[in-house]
Amino acid sequence: MPVRHMTTCYTLLLGGVLLLFVVRCRAELGDSLAERVRAEKAAEREWWRARKAEQPEDLSPAQRARWLAAAQAAYEVERGAGRLSGTRSAVVVPALRDELAERGWLARTWRPVPAGHRSRKARPWGTTDRRWTARVALDIPDDLGQVLARGCHWSSAPHIKALQRWYGRHGEAHRGTHRGGRVWRGLGPSNAELAERDRLQAAIVTTGMVLRAAICRALDIDPVPNV
């Protein structure tokens, strides 16, 4: 099975590749996800208790192995259908699929991210650094992980190029310049030019933004303070 490297590292499971994404978020969002996972795990334990109560007595070792395999297969069907979701990834992945579909990314064929364009922190050039206080690790199926990474890269690429041209005209010294409502005095970029810079920065999409939006979608939480 080929191993493909993504944002941080990868995890191999039977039948495919899972890509491990580590997303930074607000502590409140991480706590809400953890609370949901605890509830889902409790539901899974109850499901297994019910199955074990159905196990016939006096089974031979071979019969017991077949019975357990059938129970595990039934569990995997429930997990695949989203009726059992006892992990962070099981909670978030269906919402991520919906998030990508809503953006129109699943309907497109994306080229691979060019060599050398994957940031060590999975953050494209030109994005601002926010001080998130928590981390959430998610195992994402390879197909979704590739769409996520490629969609972020190619959707952001035109805005990144335009932002680079902006800094080429005005210089790196204005990276953090903000005038608010003050009148431009003819020095440095104008207020309209600063607004254009901010618009270009806001158009850059990161994997963290999309994953945080998916977590909010899964938990039915307002994404505004979280993405």
Side-chain angles (χ1 to χ4, degrees), residues 29 95 211-227:
L29 185 61
L211 288 170
R212 285 188 291 271
I215 294 172
C216 291
R217 181 186 289 265
L219 302 178
D220 196 23
I221 291 177
D222 183 2
V224 171
N226 294 294
V227 300

Side-chain angles (χ1 to χ4, degrees), residues 24-82:
R24 296 176 183 269
C25 64
R26 295 169 63 238
E28 295 83 354
L29 185 61
D31 291 343
S32 295
L33 179 58
E35 182 179 352
R36 168 70 177 276
V37 171
R38 284 193 292 270
E40 296 291 346
K41 284 184 176 179
E44 286 194 353
R45 287 194 295 270
E46 288 302 316
W47 187 91
W48 276 110
R49 288 193 186 100
R51 298 292 78 71
K52 290 178 180 179
E54 298 170 353
Q55 180 179 343
E57 298 180 358
D58 302 325
L59 293 178
S60 69
Q63 290 173 327
R64 185 172 184 275
R66 288 194 295 271
W67 189 92
L68 290 174
Q72 178 64 28
Y75 166 75
E76 291 170 3
V77 169
E78 294 297 300
R79 171 65 70 86

Side-chain angles (χ1 to χ4, degrees), residues 14-222:
L14 293 177
V17 179
L18 292 177
L19 305 175
L20 176 60
F21 286 80
V22 179
V23 56
R24 296 176 183 269
C25 64
R26 295 169 63 238
E28 295 83 354
L29 185 61
D31 291 343
S32 295
L33 179 58
E35 182 179 352
R36 168 70 177 276
V37 171
R38 284 193 292 270
E40 296 291 346
K41 284 184 176 179
E44 286 194 353
R45 287 194 295 270
E46 288 302 316
W47 187 91
W48 276 110
R49 288 193 186 100
R51 298 292 78 71
K52 290 178 180 179
E54 298 170 353
Q55 180 179 343
E57 298 180 358
D58 302 325
L59 293 178
S60 69
Q63 290 173 327
R64 185 172 184 275
R66 288 194 295 271
W67 189 92
L68 290 174
Q72 178 64 28
Y75 166 75
E76 291 170 3
V77 169
E78 294 297 300
R79 171 65 70 86
R83 291 186 287 269
L84 294 176
S85 305
T87 67
R88 291 186 299 268
S89 300
V91 170
V92 175
V93 165
L96 174 61
R97 191 177 294 277
D98 291 341
E99 181 71 22
L100 295 176
E102 186 174 288
R103 292 170 182 264
W105 290 8
L106 292 180
R108 295 185 57 178
T109 300
W110 298 97
R111 288 177 290 160
V113 176
H117 282 262
R118 284 184 185 147
S119 167
R120 182 175 60 85
K121 296 182 179 179
R123 186 157 54 88
W125 186 94
T127 53
T128 56
D129 190 14
R130 296 183 62 177
R131 297 184 180 277
W132 302 108
T133 53
R135 290 184 176 189
V136 172
L138 298 168
D139 286 321
I140 307 299
D142 179 75
D143 61 335
L144 290 187
Q146 295 289 354
V147 170
L148 174 60
R150 296 177 183 185
C152 286
H153 175 82
W154 292 112
S155 296
S156 302
H159 309 294
I160 291 174
K161 288 181 179 179
L163 188 60
Q164 289 169 339
R165 290 194 296 269
W166 191 97
Y167 283 116
R169 290 193 303 269
H170 300 291
E172 295 285 329
H174 298 290
R175 186 174 293 277
T177 301
H178 295 280
R179 293 199 185 90
R182 288 180 292 163
V183 177
W184 180 49
R185 301 298 182 185
L187 298 175
S190 67
N191 288 346
E193 288 167 331
L194 290 175
E196 173 66 6
R197 178 206 59 190
D198 294 342
R199 185 192 68 78
L200 292 171
Q201 284 183 323
I204 298 172
V205 182
T206 70
T207 56
M209 291 176 183
V210 179
L211 288 170
R212 285 188 291 271
I215 294 172
C216 291
R217 181 186 289 265
L219 302 178
D220 196 23
I221 291 177
D222 183 2

